[in-house]
Amino acid sequence: MKIALASLAIALTAAPAAFAQGDVELSAGYSNVDIGSADLGALTGRGSYFFTRHLGVEGEASIGVKDDDVGLGKVELDHSIGAFGVVRAPISDRFHMFGRVGYATSELSASVPGVGSASGDFDGVAYGVGAKFFATERFGIRGDFTKYEGDDNDADVISIGAVVRF
């Protein structure tokens, strides 16, 4: 978790200089999180900084907005953060494909009426692929799939949202 936070802090520190160079992308959207038998939803924000045309870093933060009933209990995503290295392949000025790999940590809660509740962390390597299509020079949409591999569980996350580049 400390590595993820340090990477995110470095990316955010570099952001003011990056805005002047045109190497920053900000995005926000909805993520569907499939973990075990739970199907959860989250609002996700991302900030990306590209050192070159093809290589960059990305920080990500999500907060849970959709819980799921599993058996007699309820499962919810409290929050998730991650830091990634990104490789992008610009197919054209408006269409980019990308791959990313990094580390993410998430906190989940579960509760069963009359029994109690518990929470736990889900930490590990995360990797995925996606694409961005820019309708204008600055504004577009982003879709991606990311696999989160935790200590005891894995999660599949599909995200879609808006992206703006500077």
Side-chain angles (χ1 to χ4, degrees):
M1 172 138 159
K2 290 180 183 177
I3 293 171
L5 290 174
S7 299
L8 184 57
I10 291 168
L12 292 175
T13 303
F19 273 90
Q21 297 174 8
D23 295 322
V24 171
E25 293 179 358
L26 299 176
S27 64
Y30 182 81
S31 297
N32 185 72
V33 181
D34 182 12
I35 179 168
S37 57
D39 186 22
L40 309 173
L43 294 179
T44 301
R46 295 184 177 106
S48 305
Y49 171 71
F50 290 94
F51 303 106
T52 70
R53 180 172 163 86
H54 301 287
L55 299 175
V57 294
E58 184 168 83
E60 165 182 289
S62 298
I63 56 169
V65 294
K66 179 183 165 272
D67 306 336
D68 194 12
D69 294 325
V70 178
L72 299 174
K74 179 185 278 189
V75 177
E76 60 186 274
L77 173 69
D78 296 326
H79 64 272
S80 178
I81 60 171
F84 299 86
V86 181
V87 175
R88 70 176 167 185
I91 307 302
S92 71
D93 287 342
R94 294 191 175 210
F95 183 71
H96 300 178
M97 297 181 73
F98 63 90
R100 64 189 198 141
V101 63
Y103 183 84
T105 182
S106 303
E107 186 170 312
L108 298 156
S109 299
S111 62
V112 177
V115 176
S117 63
S119 64
D121 291 340
F122 179 85
D123 307 336
V125 173
Y127 52 91
V129 295
K132 297 176 222 170
F133 174 75
F134 291 91
T136 69
E137 187 175 316
R138 298 184 77 177
F139 298 101
I141 59 171
R142 169 189 171 133
D144 61 82
F145 170 81
T146 304
K147 179 81 167 182
Y148 293 80
E149 293 189 356
D151 300 330
D152 299 322
N153 290 311
D154 293 345
D156 295 331
V157 179
I158 297 173
S159 299
I160 188 151
V163 62
V164 61
R165 61 181 168 187
F166 297 91

